[in-house]
Amino acid sequence: MATRRRTLLKVIVLGDSGVGKTSLMNQYVHKKFSMQYKATIGADFVTKELQIGEKLVTLQIWDTAGQERFQSLGAAFYRGADCCALVYDVNVLRSFDNLETWHEEFLKQAWNIGMCPSDPKTFPFIVLGNKIDVDGGSSRVVSDKKAADWCASNGNIPYFETSAKDDFNVDEAFLTIAKTALANE
Ligand code: GDP
Ligand code: MG
């Protein structure tokens, strides 16, 4: 008889302020979306259970409380991360350019607290290009090709285009996050 095992996976979500990190998590975990901008939320993380094969997985998804704007996030945020989701807004070029910065920031912090992925290219990252719904796609400035190229040249990072507003690709993205993190356990 197969044994049931429960696995806790910590996922951290990084990216510029306003790209939709909190909205993606809310859509995924609570199936809710609001256009109202709230820079801070109460909890450090939210959890969601999912079944992957024979494994019962608890995804623990850590959000920033808005401090990505003006200060670093602190060791507790990064410690024990099994996967790092990097989010940008397909309508804001700067948020895409800053993927590089967030990618490096993660690796620097991981190194500082001794998590140091032996080969940074093998650490499970995932990239989400969010807000593809805006103006029916006509205000998009980052093409899917450009994003996919960046992901390919940074260790074949999986890439998803999402809309937290329309609940497009959100479940799919987080499922891939869970599977990627699990594979790396
Ligand atoms: P965070 O700072 O990265 O956590 O971003 P938020 O989740 O707070 O979102 C910033 C703003 O963008 C809010 O007004 C959200 O309602 C809006 N937003 C987030 N995701 C989407 C999306 O997929 N489509 C649209 N149109 N707006 C979004
Ligand atoms: Mg937020």
Side-chain angles (χ1 to χ4, degrees):
M1 204 168 75
T3 47
R4 294 194 95 203
R5 283 175 289 175
R6 184 186 292 267
T7 309
L8 179 70
L9 297 173
K10 176 174 175 178
V11 177
I12 65 172
V13 184
L14 291 176
D16 281 7
S17 179
V19 296
K21 301 181 297 298
T22 302
S23 300
L24 284 163
M25 293 170 50
N26 276 339
Q27 183 58 269
Y28 181 57
V29 175
H30 305 299
K31 290 283 159 231
K32 274 189 193 145
F33 177 80
S34 158
M35 279 308 261
Q36 229 172 320
Y37 185 79
K38 284 205 212 97
T40 52
I41 56 154
D44 286 338
F45 59 79
V46 291
T47 60
K48 172 123 172 168
E49 310 244 300
L50 62 167
Q51 183 81 38
I52 299 179
E54 61 160 20
K55 281 198 171 168
L56 190 57
V57 170
T58 303
L59 263 195
Q60 189 185 69
I61 311 165
W62 287 58
D63 192 14
T64 71
Q67 68 277 51
E68 73 273 25
R69 297 181 84 129
F70 47 85
Q71 65 190 58
S72 70
L73 292 159
F77 187 78
Y78 293 94
R79 187 168 290 120
D82 296 297
C83 180
C84 174
L86 302 170
V87 185
Y88 74 97
D89 177 342
V90 299
N91 310 285
V92 179
L93 183 59
R94 190 171 169 75
S95 72
F96 174 76
D97 290 339
N98 280 339
L99 282 185
E100 191 81 41
T101 314
W102 287 114
H103 188 239
E104 277 166 16
E105 176 70 7
F106 176 85
L107 293 171
K108 191 179 96 189
Q109 294 290 340
W111 176 267
N112 280 347
I113 60 178
M115 279 164 62
C116 51
S118 47
D119 177 359
K121 293 216 156 163
T122 63
F123 186 87
F125 287 96
I126 185 167
V127 169
L128 309 184
N130 190 40
K131 303 201 193 182
I132 61 160
D133 63 277
V134 174
D135 296 334
S138 60
S139 61
R140 172 199 273 265
V141 293
V142 183
S143 68
D144 55 351
K145 163 115 177 35
K146 191 169 176 180
D149 284 351
W150 187 85
C151 290
S153 60
N154 281 280
N156 282 323
I157 300 176
Y159 170 60
F160 283 86
E161 307 225 311
T162 58
S163 166
K165 181 165 180 257
D166 293 348
D167 195 11
F168 177 77
N169 251 353
V170 177
D171 283 357
E172 291 80 356
F174 278 98
L175 181 61
T176 299
I177 287 171
K179 285 182 176 166
T180 314
L182 202 54
N184 197 58
E185 260 222 315

